[in-house]
Amino acid sequence: MDSALEDECQAINAIYTESTLLVLSRDPTICSLELPGEVNISLRLEFSNDYPDAPPSILGTQSVGENAAKGEGTHVVDIAREVLAEVYQPGSPCIFDLVEEVSQRLQQYSNLSSESQKHQEQQDAQRRGQQSSALNDDDDETSMPDHQPQSLDLLPDNEPPWLLSSVFTEKKSVFIARAAAVTSPAEAKSFLAHLLATDKKVAKATHNITAWRIHGPNETAFQDCDDDGETAAGGRLLHLMQLMDIWDVMVVVTRWYGGVQLGPDRFRLINTAARDAFVKGGYVKDASKPEASGKKKGKK
């Protein structure tokens, strides 16, 4: 094992606990990484002989505790891989930044999930009521869509300037995202109302998950999200916008369920579609600018 990795193991274990970063085997060098605050889950990492000139690989979970929720290990691995791609710089040790950023994002996600859970029962009850009404209608083709706005006064005068993502398909489920610049929560709501009122296919989709972040007057800010029956998906979309520092934009991710449950993969696909719409809409900051390139050091 390279001396640089040995030094990093000693430093990481001194900062956290003696079992945070442990060498499991050599040639290749395999280590376990225990995440602070996630004591039930540890990651399995592989280091090449060229580390830190070459990045480590996150192979998966090393261990998942009995009390961990189903799919939680996969979720942590996905976040860790995303973070590693952001924080790694050739020639620089990256495990400390990896541990800190992953821990921070897991805490943020936990907070967002708690907030979104408060609204979930009301959303589910409303959705069940809409579906019950639809079942009583004799002509499904001419019935009002589940997401039909109550008042046409909500609709904007012109077509919203949607930028569409590519279409993503997984096990017959189909995902597509729309993003548009908005200046107020009222405008965001009117754009969504217009979409649901004018696109019957979108209105009858299984889920239309939304999120927006908007700068208001006098240094105020507005942000909100809606799961539309896909538990915690809206909070994840909003979290993605926070991580990408996207403002004055709304996003709608539409999912048509294909009959096969995707588990946690559905969240990855939802965020992938949203990120693609942000990029295609030009809402992502230029990574070459100092404020973007310094992201990994500037924790807020």
Side-chain angles (χ1 to χ4, degrees):
M1 181 173 61
D2 188 89
S3 59
L5 181 55
E6 290 184 356
D7 292 341
E8 192 167 8
C9 284
Q10 294 177 3
I12 292 296
N13 292 337
I15 294 171
Y16 301 105
T17 68
E18 294 181 355
S19 61
T20 300
L21 185 61
L22 298 178
V23 178
L24 303 177
S25 66
R26 303 175 189 273
D27 195 24
T29 301
I30 305 294
C31 295
S32 66
L33 177 63
E34 185 178 273
L35 298 173
E38 292 291 326
V39 293
N40 291 328
I41 298 176
S42 63
L43 302 177
R44 186 176 179 87
L45 278 61
E46 180 177 350
F47 294 84
S48 71
N49 293 331
D50 296 331
Y51 177 81
D53 293 327
S57 297
I58 299 176
L59 304 179
T61 55
Q62 173 64 26
S63 63
V64 178
E66 293 181 356
N67 295 328
K70 183 178 180 180
E72 187 176 359
T74 300
H75 173 56
V76 172
V77 169
D78 288 342
I79 290 179
R81 286 171 175 164
E82 182 177 313
V83 168
L84 179 61
E86 295 175 6
V87 303
Y88 171 73
Q89 294 181 357
S92 299
C94 63
I95 301 304
F96 175 75
D97 286 336
L98 175 65
V99 171
E100 286 292 297
E101 189 67 21
V102 168
S103 299
Q104 182 179 8
R105 293 192 189 184
L106 288 173
Q107 183 60 50
Q108 290 172 343
Y109 169 71
S110 177
N111 293 340
L112 286 170
S113 296
S114 297
E115 292 175 5
S116 65
Q117 188 64 33
K118 296 177 182 178
H119 305 287
Q120 192 58 44
E121 290 186 3
Q122 181 179 356
Q123 293 171 349
D124 288 344
Q126 182 179 3
R127 187 175 181 82
R128 286 194 296 269
Q130 291 170 337
Q131 290 174 340
S132 177
S133 298
L135 289 174
N136 293 329
D137 196 310
D138 293 333
D139 187 357
D140 182 62
E141 287 298 316
T142 59
S143 63
M144 295 290 280
D146 289 350
H147 304 88
Q148 182 75 16
Q150 295 181 353
S151 173
L152 295 179
D153 293 338
L154 291 173
L155 302 184
D157 295 331
N158 301 314
E159 178 79 19
W162 297 117
L163 275 301
L164 273 65
S165 72
S166 299
V167 177
F168 297 88
T169 304
E170 182 79 16
K171 296 180 180 178
K172 298 184 180 181
S173 279
V174 179
F175 300 80
I176 189 169
R178 290 170 170 82
V182 288
T183 58
S184 69
E187 185 176 44
K189 292 176 182 178
S190 73
F191 281 10
L192 177 61
H194 183 279
L195 175 63
L196 298 177
T198 58
D199 193 321
K200 184 177 295 187
K201 184 176 180 181
V202 171
K204 291 189 176 183
T206 314
H207 307 291
N208 283 292
I209 306 136
T210 59
W212 62 71
R213 301 182 78 213
I214 301 168
H215 282 126
N218 301 321
E219 298 184 353
T220 58
F222 305 95
Q223 58 183 19
D224 201 359
C225 60
D226 187 351
D227 297 336
D228 193 31
E230 184 72 283
T231 305
R236 289 175 184 244
L237 267 186
L238 183 59
H239 186 204
L240 175 67
M241 297 183 73
Q242 292 168 340
L243 294 176
M244 298 180 74
D245 196 25
I246 291 175
W247 284 97
D248 301 318
V249 173
M250 73 172 299
V251 63
V252 181
V253 179
T254 302
R255 178 191 181 184
W256 292 269
Y257 179 57
V260 179
Q261 293 186 356
L262 301 181
D265 276 351
R266 66 190 187 279
F267 299 122
R268 172 181 57 81
L269 290 158
I270 290 167
N271 276 13
T272 297
R275 185 183 291 107
D276 190 50
F278 294 146
V279 171
K280 289 181 176 176
Y283 303 126
V284 181
K285 289 185 176 181
D286 188 346
S288 64
K289 293 181 180 180
E291 62 267 27
S293 61
K295 178 181 177 182
K296 84 182 185 83
K297 298 296 183 183
K299 298 182 175 64
K300 296 181 180 181

